[in-house]
Amino acid sequence: MTVNRKERFKERFQAHYSRLCRIAYGYVADQDDSEDIVQELFISVWDKGKDAMPDNEFLQYMVTAVRNNSISFLRRKQYATTVPIEDHALETSLMPDESHEDSHNLQNMADEALSQLPPRCKEIFLMSKLRNMKYSEIAKELNLSEKTIENQMTKAIRLLRTYVAGKGFFWLAIVSTIISIVLNL
């Protein structure tokens, strides 16, 4: 860590910080969050030694990284405010005037839709959506690659949508609602 590196880093921080915060703000629409995103990015850049890039590459890298980090922040924020389905009883999550029997039927419909998935696909889907596990966590637990997990999730969603579409309007409305709750769409 030479003084030159510190000084150059400080100059780049001062030169680009405001612009990068404005870019982040365009995504997250919160001043504090946008500043946090940019500050964390600068820390990461320092820790990884990415500050050694030439000026034009550095700015391009930072703009792209701010965009990606802002999108990731929004995804994390979306999942952080999501209540796992097992923590939120189905009968209290739908219409307040529906009977216990109706909500039980809805649960049966959701179970039937999920039963259409192949066993491994269903297991991965439930680990992701009900246990809120990240793809990397699922991959590690099942000793599979993250790409395999991603492919299985894509397959599960495609199969569930196909199943729902084949059941007609009533099933579409009911099961789409349930899938939306599970998927947070």
Side-chain angles (χ1 to χ4, degrees):
M1 290 191 293
T2 66
V3 175
N4 290 340
R5 179 179 179 213
K6 287 180 185 178
E7 286 301 315
R8 184 172 182 189
F9 186 81
K10 182 179 177 182
E11 288 172 10
R12 283 181 167 177
F13 181 87
Q14 291 170 342
H16 303 300
Y17 179 77
S18 295
R19 178 180 179 199
L20 294 172
C21 284
R22 286 192 304 273
I23 292 169
Y25 184 82
Y27 287 93
V28 301
D30 183 276
Q31 188 64 38
D32 292 334
D33 290 338
S34 61
E35 288 177 6
D36 288 345
I37 289 167
V38 174
Q39 290 168 8
E40 288 173 14
L41 175 60
F42 269 102
I43 291 168
S44 175
V45 163
W46 176 265
D47 290 343
K48 294 178 181 177
K50 298 262 185 201
D51 57 308
M53 290 184 210
D55 287 336
N56 61 339
E57 288 179 31
F58 179 78
L59 181 56
Q60 290 172 356
Y61 173 82
M62 293 299 283
V63 168
T64 301
V66 163
R67 180 182 59 86
N68 292 341
N69 290 357
S70 297
I71 292 168
S72 294
F73 171 83
L74 291 172
R75 285 183 182 140
R76 284 190 309 273
K77 186 175 179 181
Q78 176 188 5
Y79 291 121
T81 59
T82 302
V83 177
I85 199 165
E86 69 268 10
D87 292 345
H88 193 65
L90 184 60
E91 49 268 351
T92 62
S93 67
L94 299 170
M95 292 179 251
D97 62 340
E98 72 180 351
S99 70
H100 178 70
E101 183 178 317
D102 289 340
S103 63
H104 183 70
N105 288 338
L106 290 175
Q107 183 64 51
N108 289 342
M109 289 179 210
D111 291 341
E112 185 177 330
L114 290 172
S115 73
Q116 304 302 306
L117 300 177
R120 178 64 100 181
C121 189
K122 179 180 176 181
E123 177 184 23
I124 291 168
F125 180 82
L126 293 175
M127 289 173 83
S128 173
K129 298 304 174 187
L130 294 183
R131 292 173 48 193
N132 276 342
M133 293 177 70
K134 296 178 183 174
Y135 289 1
S136 59
E137 295 169 335
I138 298 169
K140 186 175 181 179
E141 186 170 317
L142 298 178
N143 199 25
L144 297 170
S145 72
E146 283 186 53
K147 189 65 177 170
T148 299
I149 302 304
E150 183 179 323
N151 290 340
Q152 288 294 311
M153 286 298 296
T154 300
K155 180 179 180 180
I157 292 167
R158 181 177 36 83
L159 288 171
L160 289 171
R161 285 183 178 155
T162 301
Y163 178 76
V164 168
K167 287 297 182 177
F169 179 75
F170 176 73
W171 271 84
L172 177 63
I174 300 301
V175 180
S176 290
T177 302
I178 294 167
I179 290 173
S180 293
I181 291 168
V182 172
L183 298 177
N184 301 310
L185 297 176

